[in-house]
Amino acid sequence: MEAHAHHKETFITKYIFSQDHKMIAKQFLVTGMIMGIIGVGMSLLFRLQLAWPDKEWLILEALLGKWGTDGIMDPNIYLALVTIHGTIMVFFVLTAGLSGTFSNLLIPLQIGARDMASGFINMLSYWFFFASSVVMVSSLFVESGPAAAGWTVYPPLSALPQAMPGSGMGMTLWLVSMSLFIVSSLLGALNYIVTVLNLRTKGMSMTRLPLTIWAFFVTAILGVLSFPVLFSAALLLIFDRSFGTSFYLSDILVAGELLSNQGGSPILYQHLFWFLGHPEVYIILLPALGISSEVISTNARKPIFGYRAMVGSIMAIAFLSFIVWGHHMFVTGMNPFLGSVFTFTTLLIAIPSAVKAFNYITTLWKGNLRLTPAMLFSIGLVSTFITGGLTGLILGDSALDINVHDTYFVVAHFHIVMGLSAIFGLFAGVYHWFPKMYGRRMNKNLGYVHFWVTFIAAYGVFFPMHFLGMAGLPRRYYTNTAFPMFDDLADINVLISYFAIAGGIAQVVFIWNFFYSAVRGKKSTANPWKSNTLEWTTPVEHIHGNWPGEIPEVHRWPYDYSKPGMEEDFVPQTVPMTEKEMETGH
Amino acid sequence: METLLIIVVAILGALAIGQAVRVFELSSAIKGSDDDVNVTDKDNRTQGLLLLLFLFLFFGAFAWMVIEWDSVTLPVAASLHGLEIDNLWAISMGVIVVAFLITQPLLFGFSYLFRGNKKRKAVYMEHNNKLELFWTGVPAVVLAGLILYGLTTWSGVMNPTNEQEPLVVEVYAKQFGWQARYAGGDNKLGYANVRLVEGVNTLGVDADDINSLDDVITNELHLPKDRPVLFKFRSQDVIHSAFLPHFRVQMNCVPGSKTQFQFIPNKTTAEMRNEPEVVEKVKTINEIRAAKGEDPWEFDYVLMCNKICGSAHYNMQMKVVVDTQEEFDKWMKEQKSFAELL
Ligand code: HEM
Ligand SMILES: [Cu+2]
Ligand SMILES: [Cu+2]
């Protein structure tokens, strides 16, 4: 591989058009954080609306202008905020922000490579993502408002500008942005796959890969197989919107206008969308699970329990995730038999998921837990993964989904299992690898404060939503006041919004800690967590090519923590097997 | 006024955090005793204890919510299949609550019990096939049960068998309202298509189809008790979803195609109003409404839209009334047929 070492670098090639995976990782992280601030900020705005629907909020007028006249939010802009919030959180923060950051940072470092297979493609991947972010954010400023048909943008609503203002220019920009995003994801994912397959250092067999790498690797495969399908869905939608085709449209009379489209099916779009959409939730989740495997094992000072079962369940989950998409469509009028098949496959996913949960818990058993902020977030992740996963058993069951489909029960479920787990994984990763990224440490106590407020607020926001759903409250409602039967939910909505505000404020602590520590934090040593994996054998100062001399050779798996007979409670992968180990075989 | 208060609180909160940040910074600078890995035994003790405390807080809050908010959840189902679904719901919920109550204490309990200390060493344990087989097997068996039960219920709901001929009703959705069309004396709906919508013929019913003439178009949905109703759903513009939470019914209305759902309502509106759960709920809600100076509310079934469909999605509703057969017949007589409407 090209050890394109030590040529002179300018500011531009080092910080902007960098081809170094470590710098690209940081670019993804910071861009993701900025998008995260926008996405979370939006959720706070619509939480104000949901909790206090008749109150006039000066802040709404200030931020939303003509859409918040007199401090009252416009119903269309409510839907737009929900839509862009969902889009940003799912794709920009938890797909690009999470995978982009940690796959880039860790794949070369943990497998022992000097960089990604193609630094140039990697750079392109970031810049497509950046362009996509810019387009998405700029759609907030168009005259008719941003896309507002929900993050799933189902046609015909999303296809017809007559149906809602957000389906005009805003929707066009949404589609452009997502197309750029898909290109970025594909470029990134192809690079990750090739790198993991081809650039592992000597001795780094697939069965010696840290679980982080397994997770990133399988995630990349999922992305390569599913994003093109979303692309085709988007492409057909673009055709229907702009070129008069009828892929998704038939027999429509909207805003007094009879359309000529005939023969299309809006349900086709849903099949295409969810063929990506379901794997997408694992594209979000698996990297977080991989990160927490590494963080939990390192800080429990114990091997991750059941390494092979963990790899097996990642693969099983990934495989199953391609044959369950129909569980989002039980009430579209699909053939009931097909519904049964999707119920069956969906509930099967619970098995590998349960295996993972139990393996995490057993890893803690008789460990010597170092409760760092990263470790706390990983424990939080296991908790939310279990809580949210369990309600999946309800939603995956077609007969029960009739009750709660598209209600707040679903909002509770997916935020807990996917949103919170993945965000916690992201935070765990940032706290854990911050020393690798910036050569410094984040402030531990601020980390603790951040964790506790975030963790409690997160459950405080989303757990009560189960009850709203069981009261029959539909999601994507601008206000619940049109139905007296929901009047007794008002207090719950207020409570949720208080927790949301508290959770939002806690992120200020994190952001402050992040940027302050990046410049002023305490200097880190090379291996601050006494970890086994290869990234901690590189020097604290980043260099192009990662290792100053030869790339180290790997002699063992990454989880030899507290191994009997060893002096220290960790044995880095670069330490050759002792004779005794050779004899016993491990 | 309250806005101002909240803004003040927010600013104070921000200031407080700012101060806390400074204090932490200073105190950790003074201590300066962080060892290499940056966590001390004391940290482990504190955080371990907090995790344990969290478990109690979490379960306490869970119990509180279950008790306190039981009354906000939907009352007993008002349809036959709804009762089946509610049973399945109760059993599935039971299973997941048990799993929740077992796993969370293990997680937080272990986090507390095995909090680190410099003198101890963790136990080296890579895997244990028996244990892993056990916790793959147990969920698999439980799931097999849930799947079987779920699928039986589902096929019962979706492929109903009845002795009685179902009443055929079309439910028509558009931005932002509903209409119903009864099949009339012949119990056959006439052909309809959005292309035929014109003037009073808001549903695009084909006047040349003889089945159309006795159809009855209404703005309220009345259903006779104990008779199967076969709903045919249509939409004029975008996807809507007919959600009848009290009957445990939900089905999308898709432009360009027809969907359907059949069920048997088994409680009249009057009966439902007398259900103790409903009486209680109405009372609570009316107290809340009185405090806000709003008119009292009487329970009614309702059809709401449950698929995002535009600006007034949140208010796309139709009143639903379940009558006795006699009441239903009487109401039906008062309605105009499609022929009369034209
Ligand atoms: C402060 C944190 C958050 C709050 C308070 C919040 C709140 C909400 C609420 C109340 C809704 C539903 C609104 C409605 O249906 O009318 C919603 C939608 C959504 N949220 Fe969040 N959320 C937060 C964080 C996240 C995160 C971390 C994710 C990442 C997965 C996420 C993804 C979504 C998605 C995908 C939707 C659906 C959007 C749609 O309906 O089109 N949110 N959020
Ligand atoms: Cu799914
Ligand atoms: Cu609607």
Side-chain angles (χ1 to χ4, degrees):
Chain A
M1 108 135 258
E2 75 263 58
H4 44 165
H6 319 305
H7 50 84
K8 193 95 184 129
E9 283 188 296
T10 63
F11 178 82
I12 298 217
T13 57
K14 180 148 182 222
Y15 293 103
I16 306 204
F17 293 109
S18 171
Q19 299 193 19
D20 185 302
H21 69 102
K22 303 183 288 297
M23 181 53 71
I24 294 176
K26 290 192 225 175
Q27 292 174 328
F28 267 108
L29 180 59
V30 172
T31 314
M33 277 167 66
I34 293 170
M35 293 305 272
I37 293 169
I38 298 174
V40 170
M42 287 178 163
S43 72
L44 296 182
L45 293 186
F46 61 69
R47 276 310 326 171
L48 289 184
Q49 161 64 25
L50 288 171
W52 299 281
D54 343 288
K55 195 144 291 170
E56 293 167 15
W57 293 97
L58 299 174
I59 184 169
L60 290 183
E61 172 138 31
L63 285 172
L64 301 175
K66 68 171 182 197
W67 296 309
T69 323
D70 298 330
I72 298 286
M73 187 183 283
D74 176 79
N76 277 308
I77 216 63
Y78 172 85
L79 295 179
L81 287 174
V82 171
T83 301
I84 305 295
H85 159 76
T87 307
I88 286 185
M89 296 312 284
V90 168
F91 292 109
F92 291 76
V93 180
L94 295 180
T95 304
L98 180 57
S99 269
T101 304
F102 290 103
S103 298
N104 267 309
L105 179 72
L106 295 179
I107 288 178
L109 286 174
Q110 288 196 333
I111 66 171
R114 296 222 182 263
D115 206 315
M116 283 288 176
S118 164
F120 180 71
I121 289 185
N122 211 19
M123 176 189 84
L124 276 189
S125 159
Y126 172 73
W127 284 102
F128 269 101
F129 169 56
F130 182 82
S132 153
S133 307
V134 169
V135 175
M136 189 58 77
V137 172
S138 66
S139 81
L140 301 176
F141 300 97
V142 301
E143 182 63 29
S144 53
W151 80 280
T152 50
V153 297
Y154 284 178
L157 185 61
S158 61
L160 308 172
Q162 304 95 314
M164 70 185 333
S167 294
M169 190 61 188
M171 187 63 212
T172 303
L173 291 176
W174 192 95
L175 285 165
V176 170
S177 166
M178 283 312 297
S179 304
L180 293 169
F181 186 90
I182 292 168
V183 174
S184 157
S185 290
L186 287 176
L187 292 176
L190 285 171
N191 225 341
Y192 306 153
I193 294 172
V194 174
T195 308
V196 172
L197 287 179
N198 292 328
L199 298 184
R200 281 169 286 128
T201 182
K202 188 148 177 263
M204 181 64 90
S205 59
M206 289 302 268
T207 50
R208 283 177 179 169
L209 286 178
L211 286 171
T212 32
I213 302 300
W214 268 111
F216 299 150
F217 179 61
V218 174
T219 301
I221 294 175
L222 281 181
V224 167
L225 295 179
S226 63
F227 267 112
V229 180
L230 177 67
F231 191 67
S232 59
L235 205 62
L236 299 187
L237 185 53
I238 291 173
F239 277 24
D240 274 8
R241 287 170 52 80
S242 307
F243 305 116
T245 56
S246 303
F247 292 107
Y248 305 135
L249 307 175
S250 186
D251 295 322
I252 290 169
L253 171 63
V254 63
E257 184 188 342
L258 185 63
L259 306 184
S260 62
N261 306 74
Q262 191 141 29
S265 163
I267 303 301
L268 168 65
Y269 172 86
Q270 297 186 20
H271 282 293
L272 294 174
F273 181 88
W274 287 112
F275 189 83
L276 157 96
H278 192 86
E280 170 65 20
V281 311
Y282 290 100
I283 291 175
I284 286 175
L285 197 55
L286 289 179
L289 293 175
I291 286 170
S292 61
S293 304
E294 184 62 26
V295 169
I296 287 179
S297 173
T298 305
N299 288 303
R301 314 309 289 160
K302 261 188 79 187
I304 191 82
F305 186 80
Y307 175 87
R308 272 163 201 274
M310 289 300 244
V311 174
S313 50
I314 289 179
M315 294 207 245
I317 289 175
F319 171 73
L320 287 172
S321 78
F322 277 107
I323 50 171
V324 300
W325 77 89
H327 62 214
H328 299 274
M329 300 169 62
F330 287 137
V331 298
T332 55
M334 69 158 52
N335 183 320
F337 175 72
L338 197 58
S340 306
V341 174
F342 281 121
T343 293
F344 179 72
T345 52
T346 300
L347 295 197
L348 280 187
I349 291 200
I351 298 172
S353 308
V355 168
K356 286 194 88 72
F358 282 120
N359 281 357
Y360 284 129
I361 292 176
T362 316
T363 306
L364 300 180
W365 190 69
K366 293 202 172 173
N368 191 22
L369 310 186
R370 245 171 18 201
L371 298 170
T372 62
M375 182 66 165
L376 291 180
F377 272 110
S378 297
I379 292 170
L381 174 151
V382 178
S383 171
T384 52
F385 181 57
I386 293 173
T387 310
L390 286 172
T391 51
L393 295 183
I394 302 269
L395 294 168
D397 195 330
S398 46
L400 296 177
D401 187 51
I402 297 178
N403 273 9
V404 284
H405 180 76
D406 263 337
T407 66
Y408 268 86
F409 195 88
V410 176
V411 179
H413 160 74
F414 77 73
H415 275 95
I416 294 177
V417 73
M418 161 177 87
L420 298 187
S421 301
I423 285 274
F424 290 176
L426 178 65
F427 284 136
V430 171
Y431 281 106
H432 193 77
W433 280 287
F434 192 85
K436 193 74 259 163
M437 283 190 265
Y438 293 96
R440 294 171 188 272
R441 282 184 194 152
M442 289 180 78
N443 181 300
K444 171 185 69 183
N445 290 322
L446 287 182
Y448 287 145
V449 172
H450 174 222
F451 168 75
W452 282 109
V453 182
T454 304
F455 190 48
I456 292 173
Y459 265 130
V461 169
F462 296 113
F463 209 95
M465 286 188 191
H466 294 113
F467 293 86
L468 299 182
M470 292 195 295
L473 183 66
R475 66 193 277 210
R476 296 165 171 173
Y477 267 22
Y478 161 67
T479 168
N480 316 323
T481 48
F483 294 86
M485 67 180 268
F486 297 137
D487 279 357
D488 54 351
L489 304 178
D491 285 349
I492 304 181
N493 266 320
V494 171
L495 181 74
I496 291 175
S497 291
Y498 279 131
F499 275 118
I501 293 166
I505 292 175
Q507 304 322 304
V508 178
V509 178
F510 169 74
I511 290 170
W512 195 86
N513 194 359
F514 183 91
F515 287 105
Y516 182 86
S517 306
V519 276
R520 302 271 300 276
K522 222 159 118 193
K523 283 250 166 33
S524 169
T525 50
N527 188 1
W529 315 117
K530 299 193 175 155
S531 187
N532 289 344
T533 38
L534 285 184
E535 75 273 27
W536 305 106
T537 61
T538 61
V540 177
E541 289 293 327
H542 285 183
I543 55 169
H544 223 16
N546 294 340
W547 286 269
E550 291 281 291
I551 299 180
E553 188 182 335
V554 163
H555 299 279
R556 56 177 73 238
W557 76 327
Y559 296 111
D560 272 340
Y561 288 107
S562 305
K563 194 159 195 186
M566 298 290 179
E567 204 159 306
E568 292 268 12
D569 68 352
F570 69 116
V571 191
Q573 286 188 277
T574 47
V575 174
M577 294 281 222
T578 61
E579 251 162 55
K580 189 153 149 291
E581 281 180 304
M582 301 276 228
E583 273 163 35
T584 56
H586 55 94
Chain B
M1 185 55 215
E2 213 164 317
T3 317
L4 200 69
L5 211 66
I6 290 176
I7 293 175
V8 169
V9 170
I11 293 173
L12 284 181
L15 285 178
I17 288 179
Q19 286 304 315
V21 167
R22 296 263 311 274
V23 171
F24 278 131
E25 274 299 296
L26 291 175
S27 67
S28 55
I30 292 167
K31 271 189 262 155
S33 59
D34 282 358
D35 71 339
D36 211 31
V37 293
N38 202 17
V39 259
T40 59
D41 286 357
K42 185 157 157 286
D43 288 328
N44 285 335
R45 229 174 12 251
T46 323
Q47 299 305 319
L49 214 57
L50 285 175
L51 285 167
L52 189 66
L53 213 66
F54 176 81
L55 176 69
F56 291 116
L57 181 81
F58 191 25
F59 277 12
F62 176 59
W64 183 83
M65 286 187 267
V66 170
I67 294 165
E68 194 69 13
W69 292 344
D70 180 47
S71 63
V72 308
T73 60
L74 286 169
V76 56
S79 61
L80 285 183
H81 82 282
L83 297 172
E84 302 289 315
I85 291 185
D86 283 2
N87 278 338
L88 177 65
W89 180 281
I91 286 176
S92 304
M93 262 297 169
V95 169
I96 71 174
V97 168
V98 168
F100 175 75
L101 293 180
I102 293 174
T103 46
Q104 300 284 356
L106 288 179
L107 175 68
F108 290 107
F110 287 175
S111 304
Y112 167 73
L113 280 178
F114 303 111
R115 65 195 181 279
N117 100 37
K118 294 272 138 49
K119 291 175 223 101
R120 247 205 13 251
K121 206 168 172 182
V123 170
Y124 188 83
M125 181 174 72
E126 291 164 80
H127 67 113
N128 178 331
N129 290 345
K130 267 203 209 117
L131 212 55
E132 290 178 74
L133 207 63
F134 172 72
W135 63 53
T136 316
V138 171
V141 171
V142 175
L143 274 175
L146 280 185
I147 292 178
L148 276 180
Y149 185 16
L151 290 185
T152 329
T153 310
W154 169 249
S155 89
V157 171
M158 300 310 283
N159 312 304
T161 48
N162 11 241
E163 298 98 63
Q164 233 179 330
E165 195 199 356
L167 174 76
V168 179
V169 185
E170 176 177 84
V171 170
Y172 186 79
K174 67 177 170 204
Q175 288 180 328
F176 296 97
W178 302 94
Q179 283 188 297
R181 177 162 63 119
Y182 292 82
D186 60 0
N187 207 20
K188 282 203 186 83
L189 286 166
Y191 174 78
N193 185 291
V194 291
R195 283 161 213 282
L196 304 174
V197 171
E198 204 184 358
V200 290
N201 186 5
T202 48
L203 268 55
V205 180
D206 183 359
D208 295 337
D209 183 344
I210 49 163
N211 293 330
S212 304
L213 299 178
D214 63 346
D215 289 1
V216 174
I217 297 171
T218 65
N219 292 321
E220 232 177 59
L221 187 61
H222 280 244
L223 305 172
K225 181 188 162 183
D226 290 337
R227 164 142 189 222
V229 190
L230 175 58
F231 281 107
K232 303 269 182 186
F233 298 102
R234 269 200 310 142
S235 165
Q236 161 175 314
D237 36 39
V238 300
I239 301 177
H240 300 270
S241 186
F243 185 34
L244 294 144
H246 301 103
F247 304 101
R248 316 295 190 252
V249 171
Q250 178 166 199
M251 184 53 71
N252 289 171
C253 311
V254 183
S257 61
K258 263 190 210 153
T259 53
Q260 63 175 45
F261 195 94
Q262 179 176 325
F263 73 100
I264 306 177
N266 72 338
K267 283 194 185 68
T268 62
T269 299
E271 284 168 347
M272 195 66 171
R273 283 179 183 164
N274 285 329
E275 281 287 329
E277 274 179 283
V278 175
V279 172
E280 190 60 27
K281 192 175 168 86
V282 170
K283 199 171 133 241
T284 320
I285 287 180
N286 280 336
E287 278 161 16
I288 296 169
R289 292 178 71 83
K292 286 194 291 182
E294 287 167 356
D295 296 339
W297 169 67
E298 198 169 26
F299 174 85
D300 262 313
Y301 295 119
V302 63
L303 164 66
M304 50 182 88
C305 181
N306 198 16
K307 184 60 76 188
I308 182 173
C309 63
S311 59
H313 168 54
Y314 71 93
N315 192 15
M316 179 168 160
Q317 50 177 308
M318 177 157 73
K319 184 170 154 184
V320 181
V321 181
V322 179
D323 294 320
T324 59
Q325 187 67 47
E326 300 83 67
E327 288 166 336
F328 177 76
D329 294 339
K330 181 161 159 274
W331 174 79
M332 191 49 100
K333 277 216 195 71
E334 293 161 8
Q335 309 302 314
K336 274 204 207 118
S337 72
F338 181 61
E340 288 166 329
L341 190 75
L342 291 180

